[in-house]
């Protein structure tokens, strides 16, 4: 496989995910305008933050009159999961130049991670990363000859997938901004944001610990509602984390 | 919020998010993630979405207002039921918006 075939394969495999991403981009843009965010700032945010759930959270909190610090804390907490993606990708991209890693880090979103990690975990033919898991190192010597003949170009696949998602996210934000001008406020499309949270929440509630975290956080959001600048949301999320951790420990103790 | 403040906020969140993404492939490329962080991360999303949903539905101007005479809590309830059954984000948004419009037409 050449660089361009890897790149194009990444684009092709990422493309179906745009069907799911594009409506989020449009909802984000519409809700941003409804919250009073200037259109150019809303578009810029899609490039700066480039994380759908966090952008929806920011817009939701702006609409509720939250202060900058609570918004930053909430979005910062929500995005911690990217550290997990980064850790999961580390073994595959460790051998790349700093410039490549700086670029791929920017493109490491939920959806690009999901597609790229599958490419790296697929075992058909392509050589594994330069410092793949140590259990395979006994075969490294015989492999090294093959590796020189066929260098690992899967970062081009990652680039293709990440770039496709990036372009789709920017385009759907722009489309939402253009579309929003034609929608009367009485359609209340900003309500799609809490509905999105409900849908994502329901998908996450399969385990006991997640249920405890969600319940505690929801109660906390009401209990701490009077805190200024919506700091209550940050407190509520922290209470939820504690409840989740406590439930895991209690379930493990019961076993 | 003024536009300069908003820009500073977005730049800060963007920088932090970028740092998260670069952290393990760039800064600590030869380290492993501590297990407690791994464990805690699983609870972040459910806690965040639950807090935001509860706040969006039942908090207005820093006060808890469970206004059950408005259409939104009921539309959210229908959406939650659809989410539970369908496990589809789009069915959930569709059902919630449709219920909202229906209630607004019925009780205008």
């Amino acid at each position: 496989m050449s660089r361009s075939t890897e790149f194009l394969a990444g684009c092709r495999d990422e493309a179906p995910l745009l069907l799911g991403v594009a409506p989020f981009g449009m909802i984000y843009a519409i809700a941003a305008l409804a919250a009073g965010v200037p259109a150019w700032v809303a578009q810029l945010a899609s490039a700066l933050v480039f994380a759908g759930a966090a952008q929806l959270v920011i817009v939701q909190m702006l609409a509720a009159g939250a202060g900058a610090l609570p918004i930053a804390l909430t979005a910062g907490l929500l995005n911690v999961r990217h550290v997990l993606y980064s850790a999961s990708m580390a073994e595959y991209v460790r051998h790349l130049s700093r410039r490549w890693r700086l670029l791929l880090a920017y493109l490491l979103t939920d959806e690009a991670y999901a597609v790229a990690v599958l490419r790296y975990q697929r075992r058909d033919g392509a050589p594994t990363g330069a410092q793949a898991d140590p259990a395979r190192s006994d075969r490294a010597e015989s492999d090294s000859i093959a590796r020189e003949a066929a260098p690992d170009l899967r970062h081009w696949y990652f680039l293709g997938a990440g770039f496709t998602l990036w372009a789709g996210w920017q385009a759907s934000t722009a489309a939402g901004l253009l579309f929003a001008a034609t929608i009367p406020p009485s359609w209340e499309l900003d309500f799609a944001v809490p509905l999105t949270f409900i849908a994502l929440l329901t998908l996450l509630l399969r385990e006991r610990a997640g249920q405890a975290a969600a319940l505690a956080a929801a109660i906390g959001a009401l209990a701490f509602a009077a805190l200024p600048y919506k700091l209550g949301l940050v407190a509520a999320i922290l209470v939820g984390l504690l409840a989740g951790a406590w439930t895991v420990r209690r379930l493990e103790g019961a076993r | 919020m003024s536009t300069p403040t908003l820009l500073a906020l977005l730049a800060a969140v963007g920088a932090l998010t970028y740092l998260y993404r670069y952290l393990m492939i760039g800064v600590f490329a030869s380290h492993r993630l501590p297990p407690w962080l791994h464990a805690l991360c699983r609870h972040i999303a459910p806690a965040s979405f639950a807090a935001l949903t509860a706040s969006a539905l039942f908090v207005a101007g820093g006060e808890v207002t469970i206004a059950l005479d408005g259409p939104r809590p009921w539309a959210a309830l229908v959406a939650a039921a659809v989410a539970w059954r369908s496990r589809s984000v789009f069915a959930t948004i569709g059902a919630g918006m449709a219920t909202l419009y229906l209630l607004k037409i019925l009780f205008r």
Side-chain angles (χ1 to χ4, degrees), chain A residues 1 11 16 21 27 31 36 40 43 65 72 116 121 130 150 159 190 196 198 200 202 208-209 221 226 230 252:
Chain A
M1 285 248 244
C11 295
V21 167
I27 287 172
W40 66 275
Q43 184 72 54
Q121 287 171 354
L159 182 66
D190 60 305
T196 308
I198 290 173
L200 296 176
T202 313
R208 189 65 75 77
K230 289 268 166 182
E252 278 170 358

Side-chain angles (χ1 to χ4, degrees), chain A residues 214-229:
Chain A
L215 185 65
I219 293 170
L222 302 185
F224 304 130
L227 290 184
Y229 315 115

Side-chain angles (χ1 to χ4, degrees), chain A residues 1-145:
Chain A
M1 285 248 244
S2 71
R3 291 169 179 187
S4 58
T5 47
E6 282 283 355
F7 180 82
L8 291 174
C11 295
R12 191 192 58 222
D13 292 349
E14 187 70 35
L17 277 79
L18 291 182
L19 282 176
V21 167
F24 281 109
M26 296 185 68
I27 287 172
Y28 155 72
I30 292 166
L33 289 182
V37 177
W40 66 275
V41 177
Q43 184 72 54
L44 183 66
S46 279
L48 279 177
V49 181
F50 190 30
Q55 287 177 242
L56 285 172
V57 165
I58 291 170
V59 161
Q60 173 77 31
M61 290 183 74
L62 281 174
L69 185 65
I71 296 179
L73 288 173
T74 307
L77 270 173
L78 187 64
N79 274 347
V80 172
R81 69 183 186 285
H82 290 99
V83 179
L84 298 185
Y85 302 154
S86 183
S88 162
M89 275 294 173
E91 62 170 306
Y92 305 122
V93 300
R94 197 171 276 157
H95 63 289
L96 297 174
S97 69
R98 179 166 294 268
R99 196 177 294 180
W100 262 104
R101 283 180 289 150
L102 285 167
L103 174 63
L104 292 178
Y106 175 62
L107 298 173
L108 189 56
T109 52
D110 302 77
E111 292 82 3
Y113 168 78
V115 168
V117 79
L118 286 179
R119 175 73 186 92
Y120 277 110
Q121 287 171 354
R122 213 156 60 201
R123 299 216 175 264
D124 57 356
T128 40
Q131 292 151 24
D133 70 290
R136 295 166 62 96
S137 64
D138 53 347
R139 276 186 279 154
E141 251 174 274
S142 57
D143 274 359
S144 68
I145 301 158

Side-chain angles (χ1 to χ4, degrees), chain B residues 41-67:
Chain B
C41 275
R42 283 174 30 223
H43 310 309
I44 291 176
S48 305
F49 293 134
L52 283 156
T53 305
S55 177
L57 290 176
F58 300 122
V59 178
E63 277 183 43
V64 179
T65 44
I66 303 184

